[in-house]
Amino acid sequence: MKSLIFILTLCIIAVFSQAATPLITLSQSHSQPEANESFKVNQAKSQNTASSCTYTVTIKTSCNSPSYTRDQISLAFGDAYGYQVYVPRLDDPRSGTFERCSTDTFQIHGPCTYQTCYLYLYRSGYDGWIPEQVTVYSYGYNPVTFYYNTYIPNGIWYGFDYCRGYLPSTAAEK
Ligand SMILES: *[C@@H]1O[C@H](CO)[C@@H](O)[C@H](O)[C@H]1NC(C)=O
């Protein structure tokens, strides 16, 4: 186990030292999503900021997911500077959202952010749901893909925070 961690660390260092575009590399490293009990939706900031940017978010539901889900699913993502986009409800079982093996595309309006470096999903309900991957496209920045491939636990923000490993100096200027 220790040697595995050591090898992984070496790989990560090797990848980082060669990376011209750190975020793409990070998204390809396929790290595991984590529960974040201290994650808070930044509602005040989201409301005070005009919804002046549009994002396209694609969510592919795994072929191992339940055939459909009636769970309530929320999304939050943002940058390293505290700008956050929060969507309280993405689910809509009547239109077949998040069915097994399907890809759903959402046009989301929210505050403008710099490069997306974290993303969390929140699920509440009894059906369960396994997203395969979530990709955020925002104008002027590299699209970022977050790989889940695992059940989202009930009632907790669950996802990825790459912001600490992110180098702001490489961000494209808005
Ligand atoms: C959880 O989210 C907060 C932001 O609300 C962040 O500062 C913290 O680093 C996150 N924790 C983990 C383990 O990613």
Side-chain angles (χ1 to χ4, degrees):
M1 190 60 195
K2 261 189 183 155
S3 60
L4 183 63
I5 290 169
F6 178 64
I7 290 165
L8 277 176
T9 308
L10 280 185
C11 292
I12 289 165
I13 290 167
V15 164
F16 268 87
S17 57
Q18 290 172 10
T21 49
L23 263 170
I24 290 174
T25 309
L26 278 169
S27 68
Q28 287 171 349
S29 69
H30 290 222
S31 54
Q32 291 300 304
E34 290 178 349
N36 187 338
E37 287 175 37
S38 58
F39 182 74
K40 287 203 173 55
V41 170
N42 198 351
Q43 269 170 313
K45 201 160 187 172
S46 304
Q47 277 161 12
N48 291 343
T49 321
S51 296
S52 42
C53 280
T54 302
Y55 304 83
T56 301
V57 174
T58 62
I59 301 181
K60 182 173 192 313
T61 295
S62 167
C63 296
N64 298 319
S65 195
S67 56
Y68 67 94
T69 186
R70 292 160 296 185
D71 295 351
Q72 300 182 5
I73 289 159
S74 308
L75 169 75
F77 60 88
D79 63 19
Y81 306 98
Y83 295 102
Q84 186 186 79
V85 178
Y86 167 55
V87 189
R89 294 286 297 274
L90 287 175
D91 52 285
D92 184 5
R94 279 167 302 173
S95 67
T97 309
F98 303 133
E99 282 177 0
R100 179 189 291 161
C101 283
S102 69
T103 299
D104 294 291
T105 302
F106 303 91
Q107 298 291 329
I108 291 166
H109 302 282
C112 295
T113 72
Y114 294 93
Q115 177 74 63
T116 300
C117 56
Y118 70 86
L119 182 137
Y120 288 97
L121 289 165
Y122 187 96
R123 183 190 68 79
S124 154
Y126 298 101
D127 289 335
W129 178 52
I130 306 178
E132 186 174 303
Q133 59 186 64
V134 180
T135 303
V136 178
Y137 301 86
S138 60
Y139 182 77
Y141 295 99
N142 295 320
V144 197
T145 300
F146 299 87
Y147 298 93
Y148 279 83
N149 267 317
T150 185
Y151 269 104
I152 304 298
N154 191 42
I156 192 159
W157 285 99
Y158 196 68
F160 305 84
D161 187 346
Y162 295 142
C163 297
R164 281 155 297 179
Y166 172 61
L167 305 170
S169 60
T170 62
E173 286 300 320
K174 295 206 109 176

